[in-house]
Amino acid sequence: MEKEIRERIIALIHQEVVPAIGCTEPMCVALCTAKATEKLGCRPEKIEALLSANILKNAMGVGIPGTGMIGLPIAIALGALIGKSQYQLEVLKDLTPDTLAEGKQFIEEKRIDIRLKQGISEKLYVEVTVAAGKRKATAIIAGGHTNFVEEYKEDGKGTACDEDDILLDMKTVYDFATTAPLEEIRFIMATREYNMNAAREALKGNYGHNLGKTIDRPLSKGIFGNSIFSHIISRTASACDARMGGAMIPVMSNSGSGNQGICATNPVCVYAKENENTEEELIRALTLSHLTAIYIKQSLGKLSALCGCVVAGIGSSCGITYLMGGDYQHICMSVKNMIANLTGMVCDGAKPSCSLKIASGVSTAVMSALLSMEGKCVTPAEGIVDDCVDKTIHNLTAIGADAMCQTDELVLHIMTSKGC
């Protein structure tokens, strides 16, 4: 593969695989608030946040790290009070007990107004306006969790950002992951450091629904056994439990989602360790997993009605297949097996029960890899699977990005209409 193409792919991975503390949707809103506050130049008296439906859906029920609270108000308050935009999705990492108390007071004083942004088609959109006296400043994020498309102060003048990402296909993803010079892609090992550490830290507390810890308990071992399979599910679910439960633990995200980053990383790392794969094999498998997820998200979009565990699960299945000794054809079969199974899993927001969906995605990833290594693959006569792996992927993303839009609207309506 030409060096220029490799460099563009590496730049894309660096752009999409980044550290994040907490769920990326409320952190995105906090980041936008921090940027607007920096533009204002002083502590705001009022904050107005206009959000797309998908941002609102994904931020309603998730814990905010270090606060013991859920939802957007505390994320916005802290974004204004202590947020630093240079921290990106770790925007709230300077949180202290004193600043948390200030944030709670800010909410009690009813200084924050959160509303749905009307008349937009962009699924990832955050517009925050902060005011102090007659002074106002606004920041807008769209298309990506850290992508400031417009920033302006008082006069409304701003700047736009254009992305020039390389467009991928499955063969390019495979060729890059398996042939790129090792030193060029060794940086992907940071995903193991972050996300496996999150799994270990999760065992020190009781986060979310404790799915990861439950699978490690004696009763579960009597059902699942003390196996590679159970360890994969446990280590992946544990990291998700902690992240969705509000633990102050950074993870390495993928395409704007910490859960996708966890799901693309931990199953591959656990399998590689227990299968005694080499470090080079792990580096290439992680690269394959993460880049596959990035490729799928290019046509699906950062936020959609389709659960991210489908996308990241496909990536981890490819990585595990590679670690099992599979070649490109085996990996294509794993992709098709995954899409035949998990297509249609609905995203109903970021929340503690995401660990259950991740467990489903991971278990399907292992099963799909095993089938592919036996030469078994769902055929083009079945469902949305096509002969061409790229066409199969685009069939999946067309359903998630287009056909499920009405589902997305109904999910948000249900979530906002509940008595709780």
Side-chain angles (χ1 to χ4, degrees), residues 139-208:
I140 299 174
I141 289 176
H145 290 75
T146 60
N147 186 42
F148 286 96
V149 295
E150 187 176 3
E151 302 163 19
Y152 57 90
K153 181 177 179 180
E154 294 179 348
D155 59 2
K157 294 179 181 178
T159 58
C161 303
D162 294 320
E163 300 294 339
D164 186 27
D165 297 338
I166 185 170
L167 295 178
L168 301 169
D169 56 57
M170 199 64 221
K171 189 64 165 63
T172 300
V173 168
Y174 176 81
D175 287 346
F176 173 82
T178 56
T179 66
L182 203 59
E183 291 310 311
E184 291 185 7
I185 58 174
R186 187 177 295 276
F187 68 88
I188 202 69
M189 289 291 277
T191 63
R192 180 183 69 167
E193 179 183 345
Y194 274 82
N195 296 346
M196 290 301 291
N197 182 61
R200 288 188 291 271
E201 287 295 317
L203 301 180
K204 299 177 182 178
N206 289 311
Y207 296 104

Side-chain angles (χ1 to χ4, degrees), residues 343-356:
T343 296
M345 182 179 284
V346 172
C347 170
D348 54 343
K351 59 211 175 300
S353 61
C354 284
S355 61
L356 293 165

Side-chain angles (χ1 to χ4, degrees), residues 79-340:
L81 297 174
I82 61 150
K84 292 183 175 63
S85 63
Q86 66 263 35
Y87 291 166
Q88 299 284 284
L89 293 177
E90 296 180 284
V91 60
L92 302 184
K93 69 179 181 179
D94 288 342
L95 178 66
T96 66
D98 288 343
T99 53
L100 175 57
E102 286 184 54
K104 292 178 179 178
Q105 181 65 31
F106 200 90
I107 295 170
E108 290 174 7
E109 292 169 355
K110 301 189 184 304
R111 297 179 180 274
I112 300 171
D113 181 21
I114 302 169
R115 288 183 282 127
L116 195 63
K117 176 71 174 180
Q118 302 295 333
I120 58 167
S121 58
E122 174 60 57
K123 293 183 182 295
L124 196 165
Y125 182 91
V126 178
E127 178 181 332
V128 176
T129 298
V130 295
K134 294 182 179 181
R135 300 167 60 192
K136 290 185 177 181
T138 297
I140 299 174
I141 289 176
H145 290 75
T146 60
N147 186 42
F148 286 96
V149 295
E150 187 176 3
E151 302 163 19
Y152 57 90
K153 181 177 179 180
E154 294 179 348
D155 59 2
K157 294 179 181 178
T159 58
C161 303
D162 294 320
E163 300 294 339
D164 186 27
D165 297 338
I166 185 170
L167 295 178
L168 301 169
D169 56 57
M170 199 64 221
K171 189 64 165 63
T172 300
V173 168
Y174 176 81
D175 287 346
F176 173 82
T178 56
T179 66
L182 203 59
E183 291 310 311
E184 291 185 7
I185 58 174
R186 187 177 295 276
F187 68 88
I188 202 69
M189 289 291 277
T191 63
R192 180 183 69 167
E193 179 183 345
Y194 274 82
N195 296 346
M196 290 301 291
N197 182 61
R200 288 188 291 271
E201 287 295 317
L203 301 180
K204 299 177 182 178
N206 289 311
Y207 296 104
H209 298 292
N210 279 331
L211 177 60
K213 292 178 77 171
T214 299
I215 293 170
D216 264 344
R217 288 173 181 154
L219 175 61
S220 300
K221 288 182 178 178
I223 298 170
F224 289 105
N226 191 17
S227 63
I228 297 177
F229 182 65
S230 66
H231 297 165
I232 285 173
I233 297 175
S234 173
R235 304 301 181 267
T236 309
S238 289
C240 180
D241 283 332
R243 180 172 174 270
M244 294 288 96
M248 194 61 119
I249 301 171
V251 301
M252 195 69 82
S253 64
N254 181 298
S255 304
S257 168
N259 282 348
Q260 284 172 195
I262 290 167
C263 194
T265 302
N266 291 22
V268 177
C269 291
V270 173
Y271 185 86
K273 180 180 180 181
E274 303 211 16
N275 194 49
E276 299 182 350
N277 288 98
T278 66
E279 182 182 67
E280 177 176 351
E281 288 169 337
L282 174 57
I283 290 170
R284 297 195 182 281
L286 283 171
T287 302
L288 177 60
S289 178
H290 279 276
L291 194 56
T292 298
I294 292 169
Y295 162 43
I296 297 171
K297 295 293 278 190
Q298 283 187 326
S299 54
L300 180 62
K302 289 290 194 300
L303 297 177
S304 75
L306 191 69
C307 178
C309 82
V310 179
V311 176
I314 294 171
S316 62
S317 187
C318 293
I320 291 170
T321 302
Y322 174 79
L323 293 172
M324 288 177 172
D327 58 16
Y328 179 66
Q329 294 305 318
H330 290 109
I331 285 164
C332 290
M333 287 191 282
S334 292
V335 172
K336 294 177 184 180
N337 291 339
M338 288 290 296
I339 291 174

